[in-house]
PDB file of all heavy atoms in Angstrom:
ATOM      1  N   TYR K 601      62.120  -9.985 210.769  1.00 98.00           N
ATOM      2  CA  TYR K 601      63.346 -10.570 210.214  1.00 98.00           C
ATOM      3  C   TYR K 601      63.057 -11.426 208.975  1.00 98.00           C
ATOM      4  O   TYR K 601      63.653 -11.242 207.918  1.00 98.00           O
ATOM      5  CB  TYR K 601      64.020 -11.411 211.291  1.00 98.00           C
ATOM      6  CG  TYR K 601      65.383 -11.923 210.915  1.00 98.00           C
ATOM      7  CD1 TYR K 601      66.466 -11.052 210.834  1.00 98.00           C
ATOM      8  CD2 TYR K 601      65.595 -13.277 210.641  1.00 98.00           C
ATOM      9  CE1 TYR K 601      67.725 -11.517 210.487  1.00 98.00           C
ATOM     10  CE2 TYR K 601      66.841 -13.752 210.295  1.00 98.00           C
ATOM     11  CZ  TYR K 601      67.914 -12.861 210.222  1.00 98.00           C
ATOM     12  OH  TYR K 601      69.147 -13.316 209.882  1.00 98.00           O
ATOM     13  N   THR K 602      62.096 -12.346 209.118  1.00 98.00           N
ATOM     14  CA  THR K 602      61.833 -13.211 207.957  1.00 98.00           C
ATOM     15  C   THR K 602      61.021 -12.473 206.891  1.00 98.00           C
ATOM     16  O   THR K 602      61.096 -12.810 205.713  1.00 98.00           O
ATOM     17  CB  THR K 602      61.080 -14.511 208.354  1.00 98.00           C
ATOM     18  OG1 THR K 602      60.122 -14.185 209.346  1.00 98.00           O
ATOM     19  CG2 THR K 602      62.022 -15.561 208.875  1.00 98.00           C
ATOM     20  N   GLY K 603      60.245 -11.479 207.298  1.00 98.00           N
ATOM     21  CA  GLY K 603      59.425 -10.760 206.323  1.00 98.00           C
ATOM     22  C   GLY K 603      60.210  -9.736 205.511  1.00 98.00           C
ATOM     23  O   GLY K 603      59.894  -9.487 204.355  1.00 98.00           O
ATOM     24  N   TYR K 604      61.207  -9.118 206.125  1.00 98.00           N
ATOM     25  CA  TYR K 604      61.876  -7.987 205.455  1.00 98.00           C
ATOM     26  C   TYR K 604      63.392  -8.118 205.313  1.00 98.00           C
ATOM     27  O   TYR K 604      63.977  -7.542 204.415  1.00 98.00           O
ATOM     28  CB  TYR K 604      61.578  -6.682 206.220  1.00 98.00           C
ATOM     29  CG  TYR K 604      60.117  -6.326 206.232  1.00 98.00           C
ATOM     30  CD1 TYR K 604      59.274  -6.780 207.241  1.00 98.00           C
ATOM     31  CD2 TYR K 604      59.569  -5.544 205.205  1.00 98.00           C
ATOM     32  CE1 TYR K 604      57.927  -6.464 207.253  1.00 98.00           C
ATOM     33  CE2 TYR K 604      58.215  -5.226 205.208  1.00 98.00           C
ATOM     34  CZ  TYR K 604      57.396  -5.685 206.235  1.00 98.00           C
ATOM     35  OH  TYR K 604      56.070  -5.386 206.233  1.00 98.00           O
ATOM     36  N   ILE K 605      64.032  -8.826 206.239  1.00 97.00           N
ATOM     37  CA  ILE K 605      65.499  -8.807 206.237  1.00 97.00           C
ATOM     38  C   ILE K 605      66.081 -10.009 205.503  1.00 97.00           C
ATOM     39  O   ILE K 605      66.920  -9.871 204.620  1.00 97.00           O
ATOM     40  CB  ILE K 605      66.040  -8.787 207.707  1.00 97.00           C
ATOM     41  CG1 ILE K 605      65.388  -7.659 208.501  1.00 97.00           C
ATOM     42  CG2 ILE K 605      67.569  -8.703 207.718  1.00 97.00           C
ATOM     43  CD1 ILE K 605      65.748  -6.268 208.055  1.00 97.00           C
ATOM     44  N   LEU K 606      65.597 -11.180 205.867  1.00 97.00           N
ATOM     45  CA  LEU K 606      66.128 -12.402 205.270  1.00 97.00           C
ATOM     46  C   LEU K 606      65.734 -12.459 203.789  1.00 97.00           C
ATOM     47  O   LEU K 606      64.609 -12.105 203.436  1.00 97.00           O
ATOM     48  CB  LEU K 606      65.519 -13.607 206.014  1.00 97.00           C
ATOM     49  CG  LEU K 606      66.143 -14.968 205.748  1.00 97.00           C
ATOM     50  CD1 LEU K 606      67.564 -15.032 206.280  1.00 97.00           C
ATOM     51  CD2 LEU K 606      65.302 -16.064 206.414  1.00 97.00           C
ATOM     52  N   ASP K 607      66.669 -12.905 202.962  1.00 96.00           N
ATOM     53  CA  ASP K 607      66.392 -13.015 201.537  1.00 96.00           C
ATOM     54  C   ASP K 607      65.153 -13.903 201.317  1.00 96.00           C
ATOM     55  O   ASP K 607      65.085 -15.037 201.803  1.00 96.00           O
ATOM     56  CB  ASP K 607      67.629 -13.652 200.866  1.00 96.00           C
ATOM     57  CG  ASP K 607      67.512 -13.625 199.355  1.00 96.00           C
ATOM     58  OD1 ASP K 607      66.418 -13.300 198.845  1.00 96.00           O
ATOM     59  OD2 ASP K 607      68.516 -13.936 198.696  1.00 96.00           O
ATOM     60  N   LYS K 608      64.191 -13.343 200.556  1.00 97.00           N
ATOM     61  CA  LYS K 608      62.931 -14.070 200.335  1.00 97.00           C
ATOM     62  C   LYS K 608      63.173 -15.448 199.708  1.00 97.00           C
ATOM     63  O   LYS K 608      62.452 -16.408 199.975  1.00 97.00           O
ATOM     64  CB  LYS K 608      62.035 -13.217 199.430  1.00 97.00           C
ATOM     65  CG  LYS K 608      60.643 -13.749 199.240  1.00 97.00           C
ATOM     66  CD  LYS K 608      59.809 -12.784 198.396  1.00 97.00           C
ATOM     67  CE  LYS K 608      58.496 -13.414 197.972  1.00 97.00           C
ATOM     68  NZ  LYS K 608      57.759 -12.582 197.018  1.00 97.00           N
ATOM     69  N   LYS K 609      64.225 -15.524 198.885  1.00 96.00           N
ATOM     70  CA  LYS K 609      64.504 -16.797 198.205  1.00 96.00           C
ATOM     71  C   LYS K 609      64.795 -17.921 199.203  1.00 96.00           C
ATOM     72  O   LYS K 609      64.467 -19.074 198.985  1.00 96.00           O
ATOM     73  CB  LYS K 609      65.713 -16.630 197.278  1.00 96.00           C
ATOM     74  CG  LYS K 609      65.409 -15.851 196.033  1.00 96.00           C
ATOM     75  CD  LYS K 609      66.526 -16.094 195.002  1.00 96.00           C
ATOM     76  CE  LYS K 609      66.684 -14.903 194.082  1.00 96.00           C
ATOM     77  NZ  LYS K 609      67.564 -13.835 194.623  1.00 96.00           N
ATOM     78  N   ILE K 610      65.435 -17.524 200.306  1.00 96.00           N
ATOM     79  CA  ILE K 610      65.781 -18.546 201.307  1.00 96.00           C
ATOM     80  C   ILE K 610      64.514 -19.142 201.903  1.00 96.00           C
ATOM     81  O   ILE K 610      64.338 -20.361 201.937  1.00 96.00           O
ATOM     82  CB  ILE K 610      66.659 -17.934 202.433  1.00 96.00           C
ATOM     83  CG1 ILE K 610      68.022 -17.535 201.875  1.00 96.00           C
ATOM     84  CG2 ILE K 610      66.798 -18.916 203.600  1.00 96.00           C
ATOM     85  CD1 ILE K 610      68.973 -16.956 202.886  1.00 96.00           C
ATOM     86  N   SER K 611      63.596 -18.279 202.347  1.00 96.00           N
ATOM     87  CA  SER K 611      62.394 -18.840 202.977  1.00 96.00           C
ATOM     88  C   SER K 611      61.516 -19.552 201.957  1.00 96.00           C
ATOM     89  O   SER K 611      60.914 -20.582 202.260  1.00 96.00           O
ATOM     90  CB  SER K 611      61.614 -17.777 203.756  1.00 96.00           C
ATOM     91  OG  SER K 611      61.694 -16.535 203.157  1.00 96.00           O
ATOM     92  N   GLN K 612      61.481 -18.998 200.742  1.00 96.00           N
ATOM     93  CA  GLN K 612      60.682 -19.672 199.710  1.00 96.00           C
ATOM     94  C   GLN K 612      61.209 -21.085 199.458  1.00 96.00           C
ATOM     95  O   GLN K 612      60.453 -22.046 199.391  1.00 96.00           O
ATOM     96  CB  GLN K 612      60.706 -18.855 198.422  1.00 96.00           C
ATOM     97  CG  GLN K 612      59.829 -19.478 197.358  1.00 96.00           C
ATOM     98  CD  GLN K 612      59.537 -18.507 196.222  1.00 96.00           C
ATOM     99  OE1 GLN K 612      59.735 -17.302 196.350  1.00 96.00           O
ATOM    100  NE2 GLN K 612      59.060 -19.033 195.117  1.00 96.00           N
ATOM    101  N   ALA K 613      62.524 -21.197 199.373  1.00 94.00           N
ATOM    102  CA  ALA K 613      63.111 -22.519 199.132  1.00 94.00           C
ATOM    103  C   ALA K 613      62.841 -23.434 200.327  1.00 94.00           C
ATOM    104  O   ALA K 613      62.423 -24.585 200.161  1.00 94.00           O
ATOM    105  CB  ALA K 613      64.616 -22.384 198.897  1.00 94.00           C
ATOM    106  N   GLU K 614      63.030 -22.924 201.533  1.00 95.00           N
ATOM    107  CA  GLU K 614      62.818 -23.772 202.713  1.00 95.00           C
ATOM    108  C   GLU K 614      61.380 -24.269 202.783  1.00 95.00           C
ATOM    109  O   GLU K 614      61.123 -25.393 203.192  1.00 95.00           O
ATOM    110  CB  GLU K 614      63.161 -23.001 204.003  1.00 95.00           C
ATOM    111  CG  GLU K 614      64.651 -22.776 204.237  1.00 95.00           C
ATOM    112  CD  GLU K 614      65.411 -24.077 204.542  1.00 95.00           C
ATOM    113  OE1 GLU K 614      64.790 -25.051 204.988  1.00 95.00           O
ATOM    114  OE2 GLU K 614      66.636 -24.101 204.317  1.00 95.00           O
ATOM    115  N   ILE K 615      60.428 -23.411 202.421  1.00 95.00           N
ATOM    116  CA  ILE K 615      59.018 -23.804 202.574  1.00 95.00           C
ATOM    117  C   ILE K 615      58.491 -24.620 201.398  1.00 95.00           C
ATOM    118  O   ILE K 615      57.721 -25.548 201.587  1.00 95.00           O
ATOM    119  CB  ILE K 615      58.140 -22.556 202.846  1.00 95.00           C
ATOM    120  CG1 ILE K 615      58.486 -22.030 204.243  1.00 95.00           C
ATOM    121  CG2 ILE K 615      56.644 -22.891 202.760  1.00 95.00           C
ATOM    122  CD1 ILE K 615      57.778 -20.767 204.643  1.00 95.00           C
ATOM    123  N   THR K 616      58.956 -24.296 200.183  1.00 92.00           N
ATOM    124  CA  THR K 616      58.344 -24.995 199.034  1.00 92.00           C
ATOM    125  C   THR K 616      59.157 -26.177 198.505  1.00 92.00           C
ATOM    126  O   THR K 616      58.616 -27.037 197.823  1.00 92.00           O
ATOM    127  CB  THR K 616      58.108 -24.043 197.842  1.00 92.00           C
ATOM    128  OG1 THR K 616      59.362 -23.457 197.506  1.00 92.00           O
ATOM    129  CG2 THR K 616      57.114 -22.960 198.169  1.00 92.00           C
ATOM    130  N   GLU K 617      60.422 -26.260 198.840  1.00 81.00           N
ATOM    131  CA  GLU K 617      61.233 -27.271 198.157  1.00 81.00           C
ATOM    132  C   GLU K 617      60.978 -28.705 198.575  1.00 81.00           C
ATOM    133  O   GLU K 617      61.533 -29.631 198.015  1.00 81.00           O
ATOM    134  CB  GLU K 617      62.724 -26.938 198.292  1.00 81.00           C
ATOM    135  CG  GLU K 617      63.195 -26.137 197.093  1.00 81.00           C
ATOM    136  CD  GLU K 617      64.658 -25.769 197.170  1.00 81.00           C
ATOM    137  OE1 GLU K 617      65.323 -26.197 198.128  1.00 81.00           O
ATOM    138  OE2 GLU K 617      65.124 -25.045 196.284  1.00 81.00           O
ATOM    139  N   ASP K 618      60.135 -28.884 199.581  1.00 71.00           N
ATOM    140  CA  ASP K 618      59.839 -30.261 199.961  1.00 71.00           C
ATOM    141  C   ASP K 618      58.928 -30.929 198.930  1.00 71.00           C
ATOM    142  O   ASP K 618      58.680 -32.123 198.974  1.00 71.00           O
ATOM    143  CB  ASP K 618      59.180 -30.303 201.351  1.00 71.00           C
ATOM    144  CG  ASP K 618      57.886 -29.526 201.382  1.00 71.00           C
ATOM    145  OD1 ASP K 618      56.959 -29.933 200.683  1.00 71.00           O
ATOM    146  OD2 ASP K 618      57.795 -28.520 202.101  1.00 71.00           O
ATOM    147  N   GLY K 619      58.403 -30.099 198.005  1.00 68.00           N
ATOM    148  CA  GLY K 619      57.561 -30.667 196.955  1.00 68.00           C
ATOM    149  C   GLY K 619      56.119 -30.854 197.391  1.00 68.00           C
ATOM    150  O   GLY K 619      55.266 -31.262 196.625  1.00 68.00           O
ATOM    151  N   ARG K 620      55.816 -30.576 198.660  1.00 70.00           N
ATOM    152  CA  ARG K 620      54.438 -30.778 199.137  1.00 70.00           C
ATOM    153  C   ARG K 620      53.707 -29.470 199.382  1.00 70.00           C
ATOM    154  O   ARG K 620      52.495 -29.428 199.423  1.00 70.00           O
ATOM    155  CB  ARG K 620      54.455 -31.591 200.425  1.00 70.00           C
ATOM    156  CG  ARG K 620      54.762 -33.051 200.165  1.00 70.00           C
ATOM    157  CD  ARG K 620      54.908 -33.826 201.442  1.00 70.00           C
ATOM    158  NE  ARG K 620      53.758 -33.716 202.323  1.00 70.00           N
ATOM    159  CZ  ARG K 620      53.732 -34.247 203.538  1.00 70.00           C
ATOM    160  NH1 ARG K 620      54.781 -34.902 203.995  1.00 70.00           N
ATOM    161  NH2 ARG K 620      52.676 -34.114 204.303  1.00 70.00           N
ATOM    162  N   SER K 621      54.490 -28.403 199.609  1.00 69.00           N
ATOM    163  CA  SER K 621      53.822 -27.136 199.897  1.00 69.00           C
ATOM    164  C   SER K 621      53.943 -26.235 198.686  1.00 69.00           C
ATOM    165  O   SER K 621      55.022 -26.038 198.137  1.00 69.00           O
ATOM    166  CB  SER K 621      54.469 -26.481 201.107  1.00 69.00           C
ATOM    167  OG  SER K 621      54.510 -27.407 202.156  1.00 69.00           O
ATOM    168  N   SER K 622      52.823 -25.698 198.277  1.00 83.00           N
ATOM    169  CA  SER K 622      52.800 -24.947 197.038  1.00 83.00           C
ATOM    170  C   SER K 622      53.261 -23.510 197.246  1.00 83.00           C
ATOM    171  O   SER K 622      53.433 -23.041 198.369  1.00 83.00           O
ATOM    172  CB  SER K 622      51.384 -24.936 196.496  1.00 83.00           C
ATOM    173  OG  SER K 622      50.580 -24.265 197.444  1.00 83.00           O
ATOM    174  N   LEU K 623      53.390 -22.843 196.128  1.00 91.00           N
ATOM    175  CA  LEU K 623      53.766 -21.441 196.172  1.00 91.00           C
ATOM    176  C   LEU K 623      52.671 -20.629 196.867  1.00 91.00           C
ATOM    177  O   LEU K 623      52.938 -19.645 197.563  1.00 91.00           O
ATOM    178  CB  LEU K 623      53.953 -20.949 194.731  1.00 91.00           C
ATOM    179  CG  LEU K 623      54.788 -19.679 194.593  1.00 91.00           C
ATOM    180  CD1 LEU K 623      56.164 -19.880 195.214  1.00 91.00           C
ATOM    181  CD2 LEU K 623      54.912 -19.278 193.133  1.00 91.00           C
TER     182      LEU K 623
END
Side-chain angles (χ1 to χ4, degrees):
Y601 188 71
T602 39
Y604 297 90
I605 308 293
L606 192 67
D607 188 350
K608 187 176 169 188
K609 286 197 209 85
I610 293 181
S611 34
Q612 183 164 344
E614 287 292 337
I615 291 177
T616 57
E617 266 180 4
D618 60 65
R620 286 175 55 185
S621 308
S622 63
L623 200 57

